[in-house]
């Protein structure tokens, strides 16, 4: 039993590895799905970047395009029906969308790894966890079965699975939810990647186990100085671990900010509404603020700002003009570093 | 939500429970008469005593014999007062959903009693049970699987009337269903639509309308918002609070999200491995928890405030919840507890106000099943 004094250490970004740019940069990414009923525009021009050692949280509701963006980065989108009509995904300055399948395969798993939400369905139920962990070493590094198994035990030790040597031949269903998620993390870490994408890594877990898993992830990230993209809908988890946040709505980033700023002074009505609509553990409020209406249908995204039908501040300009991601400034006009808001009325939202 | 004076009164050895006025009714008509009698606000409407549910584990194909039991619920007692919301929290596998199913008499209890208006519903059957079930309704967790995809919304909400035709005469049903749709904030014209035409939040509203159809007094909500998006959760929670005031409902609100439970509940019970670890008003539990499990649970909840992460103390529990088929001896939490001593493995702690806090007029004096109960503010609210 450990009692940990929570202290957030912001890892120093690794000084420009080879080209000086960010580890991963997504530029104007569009993804659409061609279905029988029409074209669903899941991602409509997303830009974000992650440095080594940095945690970017991508926050959004279901259907906001946060997972689709991640799948596009990993190159695991089903194409067709998926299609990437425009955009760039730069990994260490190289556009992954222009690479051959062979080149991408060399990056996937080795340089960029992913942790999925539901560990039970992400693991193969008829293969032992040791075999599945060892697969990384056999395929990517050409190790023998025996050596791969030794490596798998090492990995399981590293993610603190008790009695790893005894449990290496167990099957996924013999592990609890938290342990399974640790195996997923171990698998992602196997080849010591530069970037990990975690898609709702703790959503299926209980709070006490969630805290264990997030702690482990943060610790390993510091140890390896990895970049981490954390995809989640939980504002609480984000506040605990992220360095910066990108809030997505209907396939666009509506607000971008360092983590401390966004909770104190949101600059987009959607973010503001989200923050006000969650009940707080540390104080009991009266009636909750509720954002009215529903997230939009991706086949019929409203014209102008996609949030306008649900927004309390919407005016005519919101129905006609798509807002760009404005640089957010202080009242006196000095730039707030790293902050952006895709709202025509961001000034009123943050300062009014 | 109105404050209930009753719940703060100091009581004796089994404090969260008041005496039961048992009612003996031999005929079903007598039972029905009792069930129709109204209960005053602040009086206990549902009293649960030592409720036990063991699911047998068997082995052998030809000669099945019982080799053990999963002790899903193992001696739970609490009261639900009229007009209040009782939140029940705990990790998965702690038995909170089994409690819900027992209260609904969807499962037969292995032992123990559930008194509804002084009538032990675990012993009822036939017409009397049917009458009780009319007054206790349920809202389920997953709005995607709890609505039949082949039935229209009107049929789903109107189905309770087929079983209890006395509530709404046949010719009147369509209008009643439309009224219910209106009450939960859906367009009454949607009566002929199918569930797949609705979003998650709207489906949960349909589930709530179905629960309300028979004018029940108690609604058991089993994780009613955990499958919904954040922005939609608030809408449904607000709706449930509005309906509670409007129809004078009592809620048993089961959830694993401690923030939502705090928001909606008047009193909160914390369950661990089939037993109640701590129970009290929301202030007592959240601001003055005395059971180490409650403290760990609360400290693990991420708070949406990055400022808090620097100075919040967090207790990270090691390991997982033990199997309810083979729970630890003595205190069930001792295998994960940092305070555990020899006494904890031999002596089962009772759910009562800890001795050292007895007679204190402060929020710490509430029932906590721990030998070494002490107060610790983990939320940072004070």
């Amino acid at each position: 039993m450990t009692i940990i004094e929570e202290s957030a250490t912001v890892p120093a970004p690794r000084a420009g590895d080879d080209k000086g740019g960010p580890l991963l940069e997504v530029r104007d990414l569009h993804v659409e799905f061609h279905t029988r009923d029409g074209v669903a525009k899941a991602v409509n021009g997303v830009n974000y970047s992650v440095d080594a050692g940095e945690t970017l949280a991508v926050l959004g509701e279901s259907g906001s395009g946060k997972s689709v963006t991640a799948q596009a980065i990993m190159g695991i989108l089903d194409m067709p029906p998926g299609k990437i009509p425009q955009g760039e995904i730069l990994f260490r300055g190289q556009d992954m969308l222009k690479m051959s399948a062979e080149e991408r395969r060399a990056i996937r798993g080795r340089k960029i790894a992913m942790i999925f939400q539901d560990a039970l369905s992400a693991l193969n139920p008829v293969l032992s966890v040791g075999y599945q962990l060892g697969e990384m070493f056999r395929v990517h590094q050409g190790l023998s079965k025996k050596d791969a198994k030794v490596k798998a035990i090492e990995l399981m030790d590293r993610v603190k699975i008790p009695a790893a040597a005894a449990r290496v031949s167990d099957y996924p269903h013999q592990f609890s939810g938290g342990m399974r998620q640790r195996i997923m993390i171990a698998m992602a870490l196997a080849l010591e990647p530069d970037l990990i994408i975690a898609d709702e890594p703790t959503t299926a877990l209980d709070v006490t186990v969630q805290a264990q898993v997030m702690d482990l992830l943060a610790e390993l990230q510091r140890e390896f100085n990895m970049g981490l993209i954390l995809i989640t809908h939980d504002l609480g988890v984000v506040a605990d671990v992220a360095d910066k946040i990108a809030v997505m709505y209907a396939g666009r980033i509506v607000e971008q900010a360092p983590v401390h700023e966004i909770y104190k002074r949101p600059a987009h009505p959607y973010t503001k509404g989200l923050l006000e609509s969650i009940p707080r553990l540390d104080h009991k409020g009266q009636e909750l603020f509720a954002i009215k209406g529903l997230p939009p249908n991706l086949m019929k995204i409203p014209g102008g700002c996609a949030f306008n039908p649900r927004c309390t501040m919407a005016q005519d300009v919101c129905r006609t003009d798509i807002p760009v991601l404005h640089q957010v400034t202080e009242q006196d006009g000095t730039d707030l570093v790293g902050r952006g808001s895709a709202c025509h009325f961001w000034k009123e939202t943050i300062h009014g | 939500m109105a404050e209930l004076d009753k719940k703060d009164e100091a009581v004796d050895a089994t404090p969260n429970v008041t005496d039961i006025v048992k009612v003996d009714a031999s005929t079903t008509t007598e039972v029905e008469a009792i069930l129709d009698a109204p209960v005053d606000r602040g009086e206990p409407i549902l009293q649960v005593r030592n409720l036990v549910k063991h699911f047998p584990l068997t082995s052998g194909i030809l000669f099945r014999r019982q080799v053990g039991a999963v002790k899903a619920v193992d001696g739970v007692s609490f009261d639900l007062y009229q007009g209040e919301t009782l939140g029940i929290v705990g990790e998965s596998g702690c038995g909170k959903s089994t409690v819900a199913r027992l209260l609904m008499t969807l499962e037969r209890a292995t032992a123990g009693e559930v008194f509804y208006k002084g009538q032990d519903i675990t012993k009822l059957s036939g017409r009397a049970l049917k009458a009780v079930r009319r007054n206790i309704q349920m809202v389920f967790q997953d709005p995607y699987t709890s609505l039949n995809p082949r039935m229209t919304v009107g049929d789903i909400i109107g189905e309770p009337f087929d079983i209890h035709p006395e509530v709404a005469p046949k010719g009147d049903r369509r209008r009643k269903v439309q009224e219910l749709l209106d009450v939960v904030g859906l367009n009454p014209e949607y009566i002929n639509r199918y569930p797949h035409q609705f979003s998650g939040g709207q489906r949960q509203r349909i589930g709530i309308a179905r629960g309300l159809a028979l004018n029940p007094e108690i609604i058991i909500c089993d994780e009613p918002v955990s499958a919904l998006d954040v922005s939609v959760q608030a809408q449904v929670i607000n709706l449930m609070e509005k309906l509670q005031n409007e129809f004078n409902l009592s809620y048993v609100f089961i959830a694993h999200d401690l923030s939502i439970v705090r928001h909606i509940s008047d009193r909160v019970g914390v369950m661990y491995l089939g037993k109640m670890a701590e129970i009290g008003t929301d202030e007592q539990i959240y601001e003055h928890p005395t059971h180490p499990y409650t403290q760990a649970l609360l400290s693990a909840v991420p708070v949406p405030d990055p400022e808090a992460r620097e100075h919040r103390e967090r207790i990270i529990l090691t390991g997982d919840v033990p199997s309810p088929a083979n729970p630890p001896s003595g205190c069930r939490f001792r295998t994960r507890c940092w305070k555990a001593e020899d006494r904890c493995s031999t002596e089962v702690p009772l759910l009562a106000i800890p001795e050292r806090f007895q007679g204190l007029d402060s929020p710490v004096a509430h029932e906590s099943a721990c030998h070494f109960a002490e107060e610790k503010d983990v939320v940072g609210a004070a």
Side-chain angles (χ1 to χ4, degrees):
Chain A
M1 200 65 38
T2 41
I3 296 183
I4 299 172
E5 206 67 52
E6 175 72 13
S7 62
T9 40
V10 181
R14 175 157 47 182
D17 210 61
D18 36 1
K19 293 200 174 60
L23 184 61
L24 180 94
E25 197 176 357
V26 178
R27 279 192 202 157
D28 195 31
L29 184 72
H30 287 68
V31 182
E32 50 190 44
F33 292 94
H34 293 262
T35 66
R36 249 188 331 195
D37 304 324
V39 179
K41 293 187 170 160
V43 179
N44 305 302
V46 161
N47 299 284
Y48 60 60
S49 68
V50 193
D51 287 324
E54 189 179 46
T55 303
L56 167 75
V58 180
L59 190 81
E61 296 180 88
S62 45
S64 62
K66 56 193 196 303
S67 293
V68 173
T69 313
Q71 286 170 1
I73 295 170
M74 280 300 282
I76 53 172
L77 265 184
D78 281 334
M79 298 204 276
K83 210 177 150 195
I84 303 179
Q86 54 171 303
E88 292 179 316
I89 300 172
L90 305 174
F91 180 70
R92 294 195 186 286
Q94 281 182 297
D95 188 357
M96 291 205 291
L97 294 176
K98 295 205 177 73
M99 287 180 186
S100 67
E102 207 56 39
E103 286 172 301
R104 290 206 80 173
R105 191 145 59 223
I107 291 177
R108 195 185 303 142
R110 196 173 297 183
K111 301 285 182 197
I112 306 178
M114 189 155 175
I115 300 169
F116 297 91
Q117 168 175 3
D118 185 356
L120 189 59
S121 53
L123 292 169
N124 189 331
V126 297
L127 299 174
S128 71
V129 295
Y131 184 88
Q132 295 185 56
L133 282 169
E135 202 169 12
M136 301 291 281
F137 300 108
R138 289 195 306 277
V139 172
H140 283 275
Q141 295 181 341
L143 292 190
S144 70
K145 271 192 171 173
K146 211 169 138 195
D147 293 342
K149 192 168 175 180
V150 175
K151 284 271 204 177
I153 296 172
E154 264 173 43
L155 268 178
M156 286 169 73
D157 268 330
R158 179 169 266 165
V159 294
K160 295 171 189 153
I161 292 175
R167 301 209 68 182
V168 69
S169 340
D170 282 357
Y171 290 86
H173 73 269
Q174 291 169 293
F175 291 85
S176 68
M179 286 299 150
R180 262 182 238 135
Q181 203 60 36
R182 282 168 197 261
I183 291 165
M184 290 290 300
I185 293 175
M187 207 178 275
L189 283 173
L191 303 173
E192 301 185 6
D194 299 327
L195 176 71
I196 284 198
I197 302 173
D199 190 353
E200 308 257 12
T202 58
T203 306
L205 305 176
D206 280 316
V207 276
T208 56
V209 181
Q210 173 177 321
Q212 290 172 7
V213 170
M214 285 316 299
D215 262 27
L216 174 72
L217 203 55
E219 185 190 317
L220 294 167
Q221 184 196 9
R222 270 199 297 279
E223 196 181 322
F224 295 111
N225 196 29
M226 293 178 300
L228 175 66
I229 299 179
L230 178 73
I231 297 167
T232 182
H233 67 271
D234 188 329
L235 286 149
V237 171
V238 172
D240 268 1
V241 298
D243 299 317
K244 59 182 189 184
I245 296 187
V247 183
M248 284 189 73
Y249 188 81
R252 270 175 218 282
I253 290 183
V254 293
E255 183 165 8
Q256 211 163 18
V259 69
H260 286 258
E261 299 267 327
I262 205 162
Y263 287 85
K264 242 185 287 172
R265 291 190 301 176
H268 194 284
Y270 176 63
T271 321
K272 199 174 172 186
L274 270 189
L275 285 170
E276 284 167 9
S277 69
I278 41 173
R280 290 280 298 260
L281 189 65
D282 46 358
H283 38 77
K284 182 164 179 149
Q286 291 305 303
E287 195 183 359
L288 289 175
F289 174 83
I291 302 177
K292 63 179 188 203
L294 302 167
N297 180 343
L298 293 177
M299 300 203 192
K300 288 178 274 182
I301 296 177
C305 170
F307 187 59
N308 82 65
R310 304 177 74 189
C311 185
T312 47
M313 305 174 76
Q315 298 188 10
D316 285 345
V317 61
C318 302
R319 286 179 260 282
T320 52
D321 294 4
I322 297 179
V324 296
L325 198 69
H326 298 279
Q327 168 70 42
V328 174
T329 61
E330 285 289 359
Q331 233 149 358
D332 57 13
T334 47
D335 284 2
L336 285 163
V337 182
R339 290 208 66 171
S341 165
C343 177
H344 294 299
F345 300 101
W346 61 269
K347 275 187 194 135
E348 288 80 349
T349 312
I350 189 170
H351 301 303
Chain B
M1 219 160 300
E3 277 299 310
L4 303 166
D5 314 324
K6 263 279 185 285
K7 71 198 173 202
D8 292 325
E9 281 177 19
V11 252
D12 53 13
T14 46
N16 85 80
V17 297
T18 41
D19 287 338
I20 300 158
V21 186
K22 287 192 192 175
V23 185
D24 284 320
S26 43
T27 66
T28 32
T29 35
E30 274 175 43
V31 174
E32 278 170 20
I34 293 159
L35 297 179
D36 282 339
V39 173
D40 286 338
R41 211 177 164 76
E43 291 292 317
I45 186 164
L46 201 65
Q47 296 175 298
V48 177
R49 294 293 172 273
N50 294 319
L51 197 61
V52 178
K53 178 69 194 179
H54 290 181
F55 294 100
L57 291 170
T58 56
S59 82
I61 299 161
L62 219 57
F63 303 101
R64 293 184 81 80
R65 60 205 160 80
Q66 192 173 337
V67 291
V70 174
K71 293 164 182 152
V73 178
D74 210 8
V76 167
S77 302
F78 59 85
D79 282 350
L80 175 71
Y81 297 97
Q82 210 284 327
E84 79 163 348
T85 302
L86 174 71
I88 297 183
V89 293
E91 291 176 277
S92 49
C94 74
K96 52 194 197 301
S97 290
T98 308
V99 168
R101 297 177 63 84
L102 288 168
L103 297 182
M104 290 293 297
T105 52
L106 291 173
E107 300 276 2
R108 282 283 173 194
T110 310
E113 289 118 12
V114 177
F115 293 97
Y116 169 69
K117 297 185 175 172
Q119 187 76 38
D120 184 2
I121 61 172
T122 58
K123 306 279 189 305
L124 294 182
S125 60
R127 258 178 75 192
L129 181 62
K130 201 170 142 187
V132 170
R133 281 190 170 150
R134 206 191 99 188
N135 290 326
I136 309 179
Q137 289 287 316
M138 189 158 180
V139 174
F140 295 91
Q141 170 173 11
D142 186 353
Y144 294 89
T145 53
S146 63
L147 303 177
N148 188 337
R150 287 161 194 246
M151 285 165 77
T152 64
V153 169
D155 291 339
I156 290 171
I157 300 175
E159 200 181 11
F161 299 137
D162 291 342
I163 299 154
H164 298 276
E166 72 278 8
V167 180
K170 259 216 156 97
D172 201 28
R173 283 188 197 165
R174 201 182 156 78
R175 195 184 52 78
K176 274 223 77 148
V177 170
Q178 287 184 326
E179 262 176 39
L180 283 165
L181 281 172
D182 192 43
V183 162
V184 296
L186 290 173
N187 188 339
E189 286 165 23
Y190 291 169
I191 187 162
N192 288 324
R193 292 200 182 183
Y194 286 89
H196 73 265
Q197 293 170 294
F198 294 91
S199 70
Q202 287 173 322
R203 286 183 206 212
Q204 200 56 294
R205 286 169 193 263
I206 296 168
I208 293 172
R210 177 174 60 184
L212 283 176
L214 298 172
N215 302 321
E217 294 178 272
I218 301 171
I219 295 190
I220 318 265
C221 315
D222 190 2
E223 305 260 13
V225 294
S226 49
L228 305 177
D229 268 323
V230 188
S231 74
V232 181
Q233 273 186 5
Q235 296 173 358
V236 173
I237 291 282
N238 285 343
L239 171 71
M240 292 183 63
E241 293 194 317
K242 188 191 102 187
L243 294 173
Q244 179 167 42
N245 293 337
E246 207 167 306
F247 298 103
N248 208 6
L249 298 166
S250 314
Y251 287 147
V252 176
F253 193 96
I254 294 169
H256 67 273
D257 186 328
L258 290 130
S259 321
I260 287 177
V261 169
R262 162 143 219 202
H263 178 81
I264 198 165
S265 302
D266 301 304
R267 289 190 312 135
V268 179
V270 182
M271 278 187 75
Y272 186 77
L273 219 56
K275 281 192 184 296
M276 204 62 100
E278 189 169 2
I279 189 166
T281 64
D282 73 287
E283 188 203 352
Q284 287 170 344
I285 297 292
Y286 284 82
E287 286 168 29
H288 308 275
T290 62
H291 196 287
Y293 177 62
T294 314
Q295 291 161 1
L297 200 60
L298 287 173
S299 82
V301 177
V303 167
D305 177 7
E307 305 295 319
R309 74 176 174 190
E310 275 92 25
H311 49 77
R312 248 179 103 210
E313 184 192 15
R314 298 190 61 178
I315 307 163
I316 309 259
L317 291 177
T318 50
D320 291 303
V321 185
S323 159
N326 187 18
S329 65
C331 172
R332 296 193 164 188
F333 184 57
R334 71 179 166 86
T335 52
R336 299 171 82 193
C337 184
W338 62 97
K339 287 185 188 166
E341 290 178 20
D342 289 346
R343 187 181 167 198
C344 301
S345 63
T346 51
E347 213 177 307
V348 180
L350 295 174
L351 184 65
I353 298 179
E355 259 173 53
R356 43 188 298 212
F357 299 135
Q358 263 173 29
L360 281 182
D361 183 28
S362 106
V364 248
H366 60 270
E367 303 94 88
S368 170
C370 179
H371 294 306
F372 306 104
E374 66 183 331
E375 188 186 2
K376 185 178 198 140
D377 181 20
V378 283
V379 178

